[in-house]
Amino acid sequence: DEVYEEALVIVCDTANRERISDQRYKNGKMIIKIDHHPNVDAYGDIALVDTTVSSTSELVYDMLVNGQEKGLHLNDKGARLLYAGIIGDTGRFLFPSTTPKTFRIAADLIQYNFDFTDIYDEMYKTDLRVVRLNGYIMQHFTFTDEGIGFMKVTKDLLEQFHLTPNEASQAVGSLGNIDGIKAWVLFFEEAEKIRVRLRSKGIVINELAANYHGGGHPLASGATVHSWEEADALIEDLRQLAK
C-alpha cells in the first residue's frame, strides 16, 4: 500500500475507473489518465485522451516525439512494448482504427533492436485448453436471425476446460469470421459477476456496453452483468441494434 502513498499514478488504456486493475490507485497524490477510448468517465487530475489514434501506444509515442527536445528518450525495450500495444489494439493492422500514421509509427519502431516476429509468436500462440474451448464454442453457440452470435460460458464449463475467466476470454475472437455475423457476445461467469465481451463488424456497441457497467471501442467493448437474466436482456438489446 505504501507504494501508492504520495505517488504519481499513471493509468493507461482504461476508460472507466471500475476497470482499473488495482483500485489502490485512488491513494495516489496525483492521477494521470492516458487513453484512446471515449472519455465517458473523465477521471484523473490530468487526462490525455485522443479517440482518433489506434491505441494508447500510439499516443505515448506521440508524447515521446514531442518531448525529444526536452530529453525524452525511447530505448529498445520501450519500442518493443509500444509496437506490441499497436499490434494488439489494431488486430495486426486489420481494424478500422489503423491509419497511415499508425503504419509510419510502426515503421519507426521496428528500427529499434527487437524481434517483431517474436512478438507475433508470443502474442498469438494459444493454450491448448483455450483451443478446445474454441471448438466447443463453435459447436454450441447461438446464431440469431439478426446476425448476432452469443455464447454463455458458465463456471461449470470453465471447470471442464480447466480455465479461469480471464484465460477463457482469449476465445472472444472465435466467432468473428463466420459468414453473415454482424456482432457477437461471449459471457464468462465468475464468482459474483459475469464478464461480457462484445465484438462487432460494424454495429456501434460501446453505448450498449455503457448501459451494462462497461464501455470501450465502437466495435470492441466489455461490460459486466450480475445474472443470466441480465445477460439475456443484453442479448435482446444487441438483437434490436442489429435490426
Side-chain angles (χ1 to χ4, degrees), residues 66-108:
N66 292 327
Q68 282 178 338
E69 293 181 357
K70 297 181 180 180
L72 288 183
H73 171 69
L74 179 63
N75 60 24
D76 293 333
K77 182 179 179 180
R80 177 180 181 272
L81 294 171
L82 290 177
Y83 184 79
I86 290 173
I87 292 301
D89 259 17
T90 63
R92 291 175 284 187
F93 307 108
L94 295 175
F95 297 161
S97 59
T98 306
T99 65
K101 180 183 174 185
T102 308
F103 283 111
R104 286 194 292 270
I105 291 174
D108 289 344

Side-chain angles (χ1 to χ4, degrees), residues 60-206:
V60 171
Y61 185 79
D62 277 343
M63 293 171 58
L64 285 162
V65 171
N66 292 327
Q68 282 178 338
E69 293 181 357
K70 297 181 180 180
L72 288 183
H73 171 69
L74 179 63
N75 60 24
D76 293 333
K77 182 179 179 180
R80 177 180 181 272
L81 294 171
L82 290 177
Y83 184 79
I86 290 173
I87 292 301
D89 259 17
T90 63
R92 291 175 284 187
F93 307 108
L94 295 175
F95 297 161
S97 59
T98 306
T99 65
K101 180 183 174 185
T102 308
F103 283 111
R104 286 194 292 270
I105 291 174
D108 289 344
L109 289 172
I110 62 172
Q111 295 181 67
Y112 286 80
N113 184 28
F114 66 90
D115 186 344
F116 61 86
T117 58
D118 179 63
I119 290 177
Y120 290 117
D121 291 341
E122 288 300 314
M123 288 179 69
Y124 292 100
K125 67 182 180 183
T126 307
D127 188 288
L128 181 59
R129 297 167 299 156
V130 178
V131 172
R132 297 196 189 283
L133 176 64
N134 268 330
Y136 184 92
I137 290 171
M138 295 300 286
Q139 287 185 307
H140 294 89
F141 81 99
T142 300
F143 192 55
T144 73
D145 293 338
E146 299 86 3
I148 298 301
F150 67 87
M151 179 74 190
K152 298 174 180 177
V153 182
T154 64
K155 285 186 287 187
D156 289 343
L157 200 56
L158 289 170
E159 289 177 8
Q160 177 182 330
F161 288 95
H162 308 291
L163 289 166
T164 66
N166 191 50
E167 290 170 333
S169 67
Q170 296 174 53
V172 68
S174 57
L175 304 182
N177 292 323
I178 295 170
D179 185 23
I181 200 163
K182 295 179 181 177
W184 64 100
V185 55
L186 271 63
F187 301 91
F188 300 95
E189 186 179 19
E190 299 182 0
E192 297 179 355
K193 58 190 174 185
I194 302 168
R195 289 283 185 188
V196 183
R197 301 284 187 248
L198 280 157
R199 297 293 184 269
S200 171
K201 290 289 190 178
I203 301 168
V204 175
I205 53 173
N206 55 348

Side-chain angles (χ1 to χ4, degrees), residues 8 33 44 88 91 95 237:
L8 169 63
K33 176 185 185 181
F95 297 161
D237 287 347

